[in-house]
Amino acid sequence: MTDSLTLIPGQITLAQLRRIASGGVAVTLDESCRAAVAAASAQIGAIVAEDRTVYGVSTGFGLLADKRIPQDELALLQRNLVLSHCTGSGPPLGDDTVRLVLALKAAALARGHSGVQWSLIDALLRLLAAEVCPVIPSKGSVGASGDLAPLAHLAAVLLGVGEVRYHGEILPAVFGLKRAGLAPLVLGPKEGLALLNGTQVSTALALKGLFAAGDGFAAAAVAGALSTDAAQGSDVPFDPRIAEIRGQAGQIAMAEIYRRLLAGSRVRDSHVDCPRVQDPYSLRCQPQVMGACLDQIAHAAVILEREANAVTDNPLLFPVDGDVLSGGNFHAEPVALAADNLALAIAETGALSERRIALLMDPGFSGLPAFLAAEGGINSGFMNAQVTAAALVSENKALAHPASVDSLPTSANQEDHVSMATYAARRLTDMADNLWQIAALELLCAAQGIEFHRPLKSSPALEEVVAEIRAQVAPWDSDRYFAPDLVAVRTLVSGGGYRRFVPGLLPDGD
């Protein structure tokens, strides 16, 4: 690792989290947090020394909270909790997500309200620094009493149980610990509970979805401007006066983006006096629809940054007051609702993009050759590109159904309302991938549409977009194997390559 990053617990930014997810950065915590950690740990020590009854320290868990645990079994209590909760299923989380989970859990514990020893936090940071990722199954959490099952699989690795992934290789946990310079831990009072309680997995998945959605949103915004020029659409709907009298922040921002992207287009100048009165909504209403989606992304970004800095285990210690309070910060409803809002924004962004693709296929609306094929009949052109986009849009519609409205009671009805945040966040990755594909298809179609207006030039910004595509994909003169073209442009989209055309627009730490 050649780069370093020092986090201040409680003040972590989305930009920092993006860097952690991308990898290649050595993460440390600001030394100022050590005092708070030590104070809370000392409070736990006093509770044990005084033989006080405190949930999760000297009692069982959930419905078994009334069971008093002898002092000589407190370490076993924490170990048993971790191992018994390793019930996850499904494919393992990717390294990017696990890196976020490790960093978020370490930062949350370092706020000094969990009662853990610094050695536990250090162990999490050592795994992160050594690029040793616990193998964490992606399914099995309802996002209520924390992400219990996935975080148990993380915690088990610290005990030397389970598996890790190191540079793509699956290893037994004990070997992973050795690579990180660690030996299996013996958990102190409350430490197992502090590891398992918390929303870090749901939050990490939602952050991954937020960043991916931003990449797709930027590409779709650029593609929309390019499609507008290819279809000889009007830029009048992007006049700032229209947006200003409605007052919606997202719409105002998007109208400015479209004006900037289209500024100086000779294609636009060529049809200023055309008889078309109004464009279809997929062109004309872009500021309204994309602006509303942007507002949802911005709202989710605020919630997720806040959650990334939160203390979400239970019970919570307040050493200054000497209090130990049981609450419900582990309930991931804020993450679930934010993820559901992101899902709606992703689905709508893709839906609007697909409608523009369909418009470009139709000579009656676009004025371009049918299916963007110069010699239609012998060539099918981009006919099936719209079919693929329609399939992906339909899939995203189904995936966008809110997860947070579902709840199944767990733990013998002690946990009688749950958030389903983990699934709400996890499905965002698939949805964003679909959006990347849809945006890539539109970029290919719109770039082809611009070719039919040559020798006229689009705007300087959009000509740069076309040139970048043409560096990867030749103009479509006759039918050919389509798949490599889509892969090439999708790679530009997924890599965040279109963010530079919308500087300062996205609120996700770019």
Side-chain angles (χ1 to χ4, degrees), residues 46-375:
I47 290 169
V48 174
E50 296 165 9
D51 201 23
R52 289 167 52 192
T53 300
V54 173
Y55 173 75
V57 177
S58 53
T59 73
F61 306 100
L63 199 65
L64 304 176
D66 59 346
K67 302 294 184 180
R68 191 72 160 78
I69 309 300
Q71 285 212 12
D72 60 355
E73 293 183 349
L74 295 185
L76 180 62
L77 171 71
Q78 300 299 317
R79 180 181 178 85
N80 284 351
L81 174 69
V82 170
L83 298 181
S84 68
H85 280 60
C86 290
T87 59
S89 66
L93 299 176
D95 287 355
D96 51 356
T97 304
V98 176
R99 283 192 290 268
L100 283 171
V101 174
L102 288 169
L104 292 173
K105 176 56 78 174
L109 297 178
R111 290 286 302 275
H113 295 283
S114 303
V116 304
Q117 302 169 82
W118 183 262
S119 58
L120 180 61
I121 298 170
D122 182 64
L124 295 169
L125 294 175
R126 283 176 178 267
L127 290 178
L128 184 57
E131 302 180 59
V132 174
C133 292
V135 173
I136 302 176
S138 57
K139 300 181 182 181
S141 172
V142 296
S145 188
D147 292 313
L148 294 173
L151 286 173
H153 284 273
L154 181 154
V157 166
L158 296 175
L159 307 181
V161 178
E163 295 179 323
V164 300
R165 189 168 50 245
Y166 179 72
H167 294 178
E169 183 182 2
I170 302 298
L171 301 171
V174 289
F175 290 104
L177 290 177
K178 287 181 180 179
R179 290 189 180 275
L182 294 167
L185 301 183
V186 176
L187 297 177
K190 194 182 175 294
E191 289 189 332
L193 183 59
L195 286 167
L196 268 60
N197 276 167
T199 64
Q200 286 78 32
V201 172
S202 296
T203 303
L205 286 165
L207 287 167
K208 180 180 177 180
L210 174 70
F211 301 147
D215 294 334
F217 185 89
V222 172
L226 193 59
S227 290
T228 299
D229 225 22
Q232 294 188 314
S234 173
D235 59 0
V236 170
F238 312 141
D239 189 296
R241 293 169 292 182
I242 296 174
E244 286 167 3
I245 63 171
R246 192 174 197 181
Q248 295 289 354
Q251 178 182 340
I252 292 170
M254 291 309 301
E256 180 182 353
I257 288 294
Y258 292 119
R259 290 196 306 274
R260 186 190 311 158
L261 288 171
L262 288 161
S265 170
R266 298 305 179 201
V267 175
R268 172 63 182 128
D269 293 343
S270 72
H271 62 90
V272 169
D273 297 322
C274 73
R276 187 190 300 171
V277 177
Q278 291 183 328
D279 293 323
Y281 287 3
S282 60
L283 299 182
R284 191 185 354 150
C285 297
Q286 288 181 85
Q288 289 80 7
V289 178
M290 292 290 280
C293 292
L294 178 62
D295 286 338
Q296 294 306 309
I297 293 172
H299 172 70
V302 170
I303 297 297
L304 295 178
E305 184 175 72
R306 192 179 295 153
E307 193 72 5
N309 285 285
V311 182
T312 54
D313 65 295
N314 186 67
L316 298 173
L317 288 89
F318 296 87
V320 173
D321 307 312
D323 291 332
V324 181
L325 306 179
S326 285
N329 278 5
F330 47 54
H331 199 296
E333 193 77 1
V335 180
L337 290 171
D340 281 346
N341 286 341
L342 272 176
L344 294 173
I346 293 170
E348 280 295 270
T349 300
L352 194 68
S353 178
E354 184 278 329
R355 287 293 79 204
R356 291 190 297 266
I357 295 172
L359 182 150
L360 292 173
M361 300 299 105
D362 188 341
F365 281 109
S366 70
L368 299 168
F371 305 114
L372 303 173
E375 296 183 26

